Amino acid sequence: MNSKEMAQKSIFYSYTKNINGFAAHLEEEVANQIAKHPEVVTVLESKMLKLHTTRSWDFMDLERDGQILPDSIWKHGKFGQDVIIANLDSGVWPESMSFTDEGMSEVPKRWKGSCPDSAKYGVPCNKKLIGAKFFNQDMLLTNPGAVDGNWTRDTEGHGTHTLSTAGGRFVPRANLFGYANGTAKGGAPGARVAAYKVCWAGECAAADVLAGFEAAIHDGSDVISVSFGQDAPLADASTFLQEPVTLGSLHAAAHGAAVVCSAGNAGPYDDTVVNAAPWVTTVAASTVDRDFPNDVTLGNSARMKGMSLDSSTLRANTLYPVVEARRAGRANASAYDAATCAAGTLDPAKVKGKIVVCVRGGQVSRVAKGVEVRSAGGVGMILANDRMDGDDIVADPHVLPATMITYTEAVSLYSYMSSTPNPVANISPSKTEVGVKNSPSVAAFSSRGPSGTLPYVLKPDIAAPGVDILAAFTEYVGPAEVTSDARRSDYAILSGTSMACPHVSGVMALLRAARPEWSPAAMRSAVMTTARTQDNTGAPMRDHDGTEATAFAHGAGNVHPNRAVDPGLVYDAGPDDYYTFLCAMGFATGDVTRLSAGKFTCPARPAAMEDLNYPSIVVPALRGTQTVTRRLKNVGRPAQYRASWRPPFGIAMDVEPKLLDFAKPGEEKEFKVTVTSNKDKLGMGYAFGRLVWSDGTHYVRSPVVVNALA
């Protein structure tokens, strides 16, 4: 066989529509040879990306008590009518009522997509769900056991949940086992939606992801929603373009599609945010004002509050024996595995008829711990946080009566159990509680900045509801997402930045309908500069531990969609700005020219990365004094805007000019921000301030983040 035939056999994707490249199964030596070719921009190794796994629209003021408000973005954006949302995820369950096309007009003629599934249970198109394609060639090479069929049908639930959150229809009487009962709503219920299945068994192979991006761009998508990413940030900025979401989203941005990505679920630690490219909108997860509390009553009459979505209950007036899992393990199980209730570790003789206390963590999902307790004969589970998890608790659809308690409550529980030879307890049924104070706050799991890969750009950009979100689900598996769960529900409650991302995707679709002339960057700017940084008590938005949240946790703040329709001014940017940014990063001129399909050449002296026209300002390594430049575009009426600011602690800050006079819509004005370090405040790390431009009606807010080194 000659080399040409070998090459043809190795190739399993040819990217020819928007992304100029191919995917092939190659030996490392061959890949290295290709990487050295002068016409090759980048060679990326296929790696697995991970999925980042109602009340929220009411909480964001699109409606109140079921009534759509006069200034709602739903009205301004015509519910997203005929905007097309693409979802790269685990597929779709097409039978869900969230995707019914009743009353919808014909599919827009500009749409080039289709539903080519030929499998017996493939996904058919209608006038709502207008596209469904699957991509699994890379996964078949790297992990063939993960591929459940050549179809776009969602067998996991993640893709159905995220797509319906972004663009699902209004569905009354939606709930999970009676919890969160009400009308399920997508952000842009009038939008058309398309599912691109690039994720299989919770993982998404790089070449499949790029194929999904290329198809979504070619088919004519306006918004592309991506609720997955790498486990950790890239260690080296030189490998920036070797990451599939970064590369695929750059091509999408160049073709005018807005890409929205989840920030990752590796919080609350710093420098964990992923999907940090400046041409995507990166979304953190926040809470809404709804909880699902229940109580644990101890034998000494003490009560502690927990959280759960269990579908079964214990006898109300009975106290059951309680045992710590670490003391109830099988002889061959380690104390740690038993404590975390790993599969096959609990001894039925020590557990039967008892409530078992399992420790959160380990390589065991929260719901799977309950499965192990039930399998061993336990009647209930108390899932206890350890010191690291603190007071962050999550409601899960457990398979037995259960609750999750904070570390503080866990310490009290252990104290009680050690005080008596026969500890007993009961777990009450859960209930739905709304109006919870100090909401929103940032979820503990939500990944934080700064971006170690790109410290010159603030990430995440924005926070949105991502905790206990009710949305459509697959009927292929139960809502606990474990094989032993025989329960089925049309709707499920999930948490993650995966759930936050499609909220912003829906808002982007509404903005595209309301302001079709805006670029994706203008839409992101409108979302960021109108965000809220206060909770429902008027206090600053909190982090998971009760401290004031910073821009590294929530970006510009929590999304406030109604304000975004009329931001007054926007920080606009386009493909040339992003190519210039890559030049400033040090990428070769020839590579950037090829990325732009020959439309761009690096300037001799590209603008500094800090000068990218972004709605936030970051100076990651201030030495003395530095000046950054921004430009604002008027998207409202003629007006004068005056600057005010609160400098980061230990930093002197000035803005010039302090007054911008806009005579007409579309006019752009430049300004400069100068920051100077205070010699007495060096070495204190990042400090946070803000800049506001206002005409008395609009308030265009930007976070300002500075790290003074000298």
Side-chain angles (χ1 to χ4, degrees), residues 514-567:
R515 295 294 195 112
E517 73 279 9
W518 283 3
S519 69
M523 293 192 292
R524 175 178 59 230
S525 175
V527 167
M528 291 177 65
T529 61
T530 59
R532 283 175 167 159
T533 56
Q534 294 180 317
D535 64 23
N536 57 2
T537 70
M541 193 170 165
R542 297 184 182 186
D543 213 325
H544 72 289
D545 58 1
T547 61
E548 183 175 341
T550 72
F552 285 156
H554 59 45
N558 210 59
V559 62
H560 190 193
N562 296 339
R563 288 180 182 169
V565 179
D566 181 24

Coordinates of all heavy atoms in Angstrom, one line a residue, residues 514-567:
A514 N -33.7 40.5 19.2 CA -34.0 41.9 19.5 C -33.1 42.9 18.8 O -33.5 44.0 18.4 CB -34.0 42.1 21.0
R515 N -31.8 42.5 18.7 CA -30.8 43.4 18.1 C -30.0 42.6 17.1 O -28.8 42.3 17.3 CB -29.9 43.9 19.2 CG -30.5 44.8 20.3 CD -31.0 46.1 19.7 NE -31.3 47.1 20.7 CZ -30.6 48.2 20.9 NH1 -29.6 48.5 20.1 NH2 -31.0 49.1 21.8
P516 N -30.6 42.3 16.0 CA -29.9 41.4 14.9 C -28.7 42.0 14.4 O -27.8 41.3 13.8 CB -31.0 41.2 13.9 CG -32.0 42.3 14.1 CD -32.0 42.6 15.5
E517 N -28.5 43.4 14.5 CA -27.3 44.0 13.9 C -26.1 43.9 14.9 O -25.0 44.2 14.5 CB -27.6 45.5 13.7 CG -27.7 46.4 14.9 CD -29.1 46.3 15.7 OE1 -29.9 45.5 15.3 OE2 -29.3 47.1 16.6
W518 N -26.3 43.4 16.1 CA -25.2 43.3 17.0 C -24.3 42.1 16.7 O -24.7 41.1 16.3 CB -25.7 43.1 18.4 CG -26.2 44.4 19.1 CD1 -26.3 45.6 18.5 CD2 -26.7 44.5 20.4 NE1 -26.8 46.5 19.4 CE2 -27.1 45.9 20.6 CE3 -26.8 43.7 21.5 CZ2 -27.6 46.4 21.8 CZ3 -27.4 44.1 22.7 CH2 -27.7 45.5 22.8
S519 N -23.0 42.3 16.9 CA -22.0 41.2 16.8 C -22.1 40.3 18.1 O -22.7 40.8 19.1 CB -20.6 41.8 16.7 OG -20.2 42.4 17.9
P520 N -21.5 39.1 18.0 CA -21.5 38.3 19.3 C -20.8 39.1 20.4 O -21.2 38.9 21.6 CB -20.7 37.1 18.8 CG -21.0 36.9 17.4 CD -21.1 38.4 16.9
A521 N -19.7 39.8 20.1 CA -19.0 40.6 21.1 C -19.9 41.7 21.8 O -19.9 41.9 23.0 CB -17.7 41.2 20.6
A522 N -20.7 42.3 20.9 CA -21.6 43.3 21.4 C -22.7 42.7 22.4 O -23.0 43.3 23.4 CB -22.3 44.1 20.3
M523 N -23.1 41.5 22.0 CA -24.1 40.8 22.9 C -23.5 40.4 24.2 O -24.1 40.6 25.3 CB -24.7 39.6 22.1 CG -25.5 39.9 20.9 SD -26.4 38.5 20.3 CE -25.2 37.5 19.6
R524 N -22.2 39.9 24.1 CA -21.6 39.6 25.4 C -21.4 40.8 26.2 O -21.6 40.8 27.5 CB -20.2 38.9 25.1 CG -19.4 38.7 26.4 CD -18.1 38.0 26.1 NE -17.2 38.8 25.2 CZ -16.7 38.3 24.1 NH1 -16.8 37.0 23.8 NH2 -15.9 39.1 23.4
S525 N -21.0 41.9 25.6 CA -20.8 43.2 26.4 C -22.1 43.6 27.0 O -22.1 44.0 28.2 CB -20.3 44.3 25.4 OG -20.2 45.5 26.1
A526 N -23.2 43.5 26.3 CA -24.5 43.9 26.9 C -24.8 43.1 28.1 O -25.3 43.6 29.1 CB -25.6 43.8 25.8
V527 N -24.5 41.8 28.0 CA -24.8 40.9 29.1 C -23.9 41.2 30.3 O -24.4 41.2 31.5 CB -24.6 39.4 28.7 CG1 -24.6 38.5 29.9 CG2 -25.7 39.0 27.8
M528 N -22.6 41.5 30.1 CA -21.7 41.7 31.2 C -21.9 43.1 31.8 O -21.9 43.2 33.1 CB -20.3 41.6 30.6 CG -19.9 40.2 30.3 SD -18.2 40.1 29.6 CE -17.2 40.6 31.0
T529 N -22.1 44.1 31.0 CA -22.1 45.5 31.6 C -23.4 45.8 32.3 O -23.5 46.8 33.0 CB -21.8 46.5 30.5 OG1 -22.8 46.5 29.5 CG2 -20.4 46.3 29.9
T530 N -24.4 45.0 32.1 CA -25.7 45.2 32.8 C -25.9 44.2 33.9 O -27.0 44.1 34.5 CB -26.8 45.1 31.8 OG1 -26.8 43.8 31.2 CG2 -26.7 46.2 30.7
A531 N -24.9 43.4 34.3 CA -25.1 42.3 35.3 C -25.3 42.9 36.7 O -24.9 44.0 37.0 CB -23.9 41.4 35.2
R532 N -25.9 42.1 37.5 CA -26.1 42.4 38.9 C -24.9 41.9 39.8 O -24.5 40.8 39.6 CB -27.4 41.8 39.4 CG -28.6 42.5 39.0 CD -29.8 41.8 39.5 NE -31.1 42.5 39.4 CZ -32.3 42.0 39.4 NH1 -32.4 40.7 39.5 NH2 -33.4 42.7 39.3
T533 N -24.5 42.6 40.8 CA -23.5 42.2 41.7 C -24.1 42.2 43.1 O -23.3 42.0 44.1 CB -22.3 43.1 41.7 OG1 -22.7 44.4 41.9 CG2 -21.6 42.9 40.3
Q534 N -25.4 42.3 43.3 CA -26.1 42.2 44.6 C -27.0 41.1 44.6 O -27.5 40.6 43.6 CB -26.8 43.5 44.9 CG -25.9 44.8 45.0 CD -26.7 46.0 45.3 OE1 -27.7 46.3 44.7 NE2 -26.2 46.8 46.2
D535 N -27.3 40.6 45.9 CA -28.3 39.5 46.0 C -29.6 40.1 46.3 O -29.8 41.3 46.2 CB -27.8 38.5 47.1 CG -27.7 39.1 48.5 OD1 -28.4 40.1 48.8 OD2 -27.0 38.5 49.3
N536 N -30.6 39.2 46.6 CA -32.0 39.7 46.8 C -32.2 40.4 48.2 O -33.3 40.8 48.5 CB -33.0 38.6 46.6 CG -32.7 37.4 47.5 OD1 -31.8 37.4 48.4 ND2 -33.5 36.3 47.4
T537 N -31.1 40.6 48.9 CA -31.3 41.4 50.2 C -30.6 42.8 50.0 O -30.6 43.6 50.9 CB -30.6 40.7 51.4 OG1 -29.2 40.7 51.2 CG2 -31.1 39.3 51.5
G538 N -30.0 43.0 48.8 CA -29.3 44.2 48.5 C -27.8 44.2 48.9 O -27.1 45.2 48.7
A539 N -27.4 43.1 49.5 CA -26.0 42.9 49.9 C -25.1 42.5 48.7 O -25.7 41.9 47.7 CB -25.9 41.9 51.0
P540 N -23.8 42.7 48.8 CA -23.0 42.2 47.7 C -23.1 40.7 47.5 O -23.3 39.9 48.5 CB -21.6 42.5 48.2 CG -21.7 43.7 49.1 CD -23.1 43.5 49.8
M541 N -23.1 40.2 46.3 CA -23.3 38.8 46.0 C -22.2 38.0 46.8 O -21.0 38.4 46.8 CB -23.1 38.6 44.5 CG -23.5 37.2 44.0 SD -23.6 37.3 42.2 CE -23.7 35.6 41.8
R542 N -22.6 36.9 47.4 CA -21.7 36.1 48.2 C -21.1 34.9 47.5 O -21.7 34.4 46.5 CB -22.4 35.6 49.4 CG -23.0 36.6 50.3 CD -23.6 36.0 51.6 NE -24.1 37.0 52.5 CZ -24.6 36.7 53.7 NH1 -24.6 35.4 54.1 NH2 -25.1 37.6 54.5
D543 N -19.9 34.5 48.0 CA -19.4 33.2 47.5 C -20.0 32.1 48.4 O -20.8 32.4 49.3 CB -17.8 33.3 47.7 CG -17.1 32.4 46.6 OD1 -17.7 31.4 46.2 OD2 -16.0 32.8 46.2
H544 N -19.6 30.9 48.1 CA -20.2 29.7 48.7 C -20.0 29.7 50.2 O -20.8 29.1 51.0 CB -19.7 28.4 48.1 CG -18.3 28.2 48.5 ND1 -17.2 28.9 48.1 CD2 -17.7 27.2 49.4 CE1 -16.1 28.4 48.6 NE2 -16.4 27.4 49.4
D545 N -18.9 30.4 50.7 CA -18.6 30.3 52.1 C -19.1 31.5 52.9 O -18.7 31.7 54.0 CB -17.1 30.2 52.3 CG -16.3 31.3 51.6 OD1 -16.9 32.2 51.0 OD2 -15.1 31.3 51.7
G546 N -19.9 32.4 52.2 CA -20.5 33.5 52.9 C -19.7 34.8 52.7 O -20.1 35.9 53.1
T547 N -18.4 34.7 52.2 CA -17.6 35.9 52.0 C -18.1 36.6 50.7 O -18.8 36.0 49.9 CB -16.2 35.6 51.9 OG1 -16.0 34.7 50.8 CG2 -15.7 34.9 53.2
E548 N -17.7 37.8 50.5 CA -18.1 38.6 49.3 C -17.4 38.0 48.1 O -16.2 37.7 48.1 CB -17.7 40.0 49.5 CG -18.2 40.9 48.3 CD -17.9 42.4 48.5 OE1 -17.8 42.8 49.6 OE2 -17.9 43.1 47.5
A549 N -18.2 37.7 47.1 CA -17.6 37.1 45.9 C -16.9 38.1 45.1 O -17.2 39.3 45.1 CB -18.8 36.5 45.0
T550 N -15.8 37.6 44.4 CA -15.0 38.5 43.6 C -15.3 38.2 42.1 O -16.0 37.3 41.7 CB -13.5 38.3 43.8 OG1 -13.1 37.1 43.2 CG2 -13.2 38.4 45.3
A551 N -14.7 39.1 41.2 CA -14.9 38.9 39.8 C -14.3 37.5 39.3 O -14.7 37.0 38.3 CB -14.2 40.0 39.0
F552 N -13.4 36.9 40.1 CA -12.9 35.6 39.7 C -13.9 34.5 39.9 O -13.8 33.4 39.3 CB -11.6 35.3 40.4 CG -10.4 36.0 40.0 CD1 -9.3 36.3 40.8 CD2 -10.3 36.5 38.7 CE1 -8.2 36.9 40.4 CE2 -9.2 37.2 38.2 CZ -8.1 37.4 39.1
A553 N -14.9 34.8 40.7 CA -16.0 33.8 40.9 C -17.2 34.1 40.0 O -17.7 33.1 39.5 CB -16.4 33.9 42.4
H554 N -17.6 35.3 39.8 CA -18.8 35.6 39.1 C -18.6 36.5 37.8 O -19.6 36.8 37.2 CB -19.9 36.2 39.9 CG -19.5 37.5 40.6 ND1 -18.9 38.6 40.0 CD2 -19.7 37.9 41.9 CE1 -18.7 39.6 40.8 NE2 -19.2 39.2 42.0
G555 N -17.3 36.8 37.5 CA -17.1 37.7 36.4 C -17.7 39.0 36.6 O -17.4 39.7 37.6
A556 N -18.5 39.5 35.7 CA -19.1 40.8 35.8 C -20.3 40.8 36.8 O -20.8 41.9 37.2 CB -19.5 41.3 34.4
G557 N -20.8 39.6 37.2 CA -21.9 39.6 38.1 C -22.9 38.5 37.6 O -22.6 37.7 36.7
N558 N -24.1 38.5 38.1 CA -25.1 37.6 37.7 C -26.0 38.2 36.6 O -26.3 39.4 36.6 CB -26.1 37.3 38.9 CG -26.6 35.9 38.8 OD1 -25.9 34.9 38.8 ND2 -28.0 35.8 38.8
V559 N -26.2 37.4 35.6 CA -26.9 37.9 34.4 C -28.3 38.5 34.7 O -29.0 38.0 35.5 CB -27.1 36.8 33.3 CG1 -27.9 35.6 33.9 CG2 -27.6 37.3 32.0
H560 N -28.6 39.7 34.1 CA -29.8 40.4 34.3 C -30.4 40.7 32.9 O -30.2 41.7 32.3 CB -29.6 41.7 35.1 CG -30.9 42.3 35.5 ND1 -31.0 43.6 36.0 CD2 -32.2 41.9 35.5 CE1 -32.2 43.9 36.3 NE2 -33.0 42.9 36.0
P561 N -31.1 39.7 32.3 CA -31.4 39.8 30.8 C -32.2 41.0 30.4 O -31.9 41.5 29.3 CB -32.2 38.5 30.6 CG -31.8 37.6 31.7 CD -31.5 38.4 32.9
N562 N -33.1 41.5 31.2 CA -33.9 42.6 30.7 C -33.1 43.8 30.5 O -33.4 44.6 29.5 CB -35.0 42.9 31.8 CG -36.0 41.7 31.9 OD1 -36.1 40.9 31.0 ND2 -36.7 41.7 33.0
R563 N -32.1 44.1 31.3 CA -31.3 45.3 31.1 C -30.4 45.1 29.8 O -30.0 46.1 29.2 CB -30.3 45.4 32.3 CG -31.0 45.9 33.6 CD -29.9 46.0 34.6 NE -30.4 46.4 36.0 CZ -29.7 46.3 37.1 NH1 -28.5 45.9 37.0 NH2 -30.2 46.7 38.2
A564 N -30.1 43.9 29.5 CA -29.1 43.7 28.4 C -29.7 44.2 27.0 O -28.9 44.4 26.1 CB -28.7 42.2 28.3
V565 N -31.0 44.3 26.9 CA -31.5 44.7 25.6 C -31.2 46.2 25.3 O -31.0 46.6 24.2 CB -33.1 44.6 25.6 CG1 -33.7 45.1 24.3 CG2 -33.5 43.1 25.8
D566 N -31.0 47.0 26.4 CA -30.7 48.4 26.2 C -29.6 48.8 27.1 O -29.8 49.5 28.2 CB -32.0 49.2 26.6 CG -31.8 50.7 26.4 OD1 -30.9 51.1 25.6 OD2 -32.5 51.5 27.1
P567 N -28.3 48.4 26.8 CA -27.2 48.7 27.6 C -26.6 50.1 27.5 O -25.8 50.5 28.3 CB -26.1 47.7 27.2 CG -26.4 47.5 25.7 CD -27.9 47.6 25.6

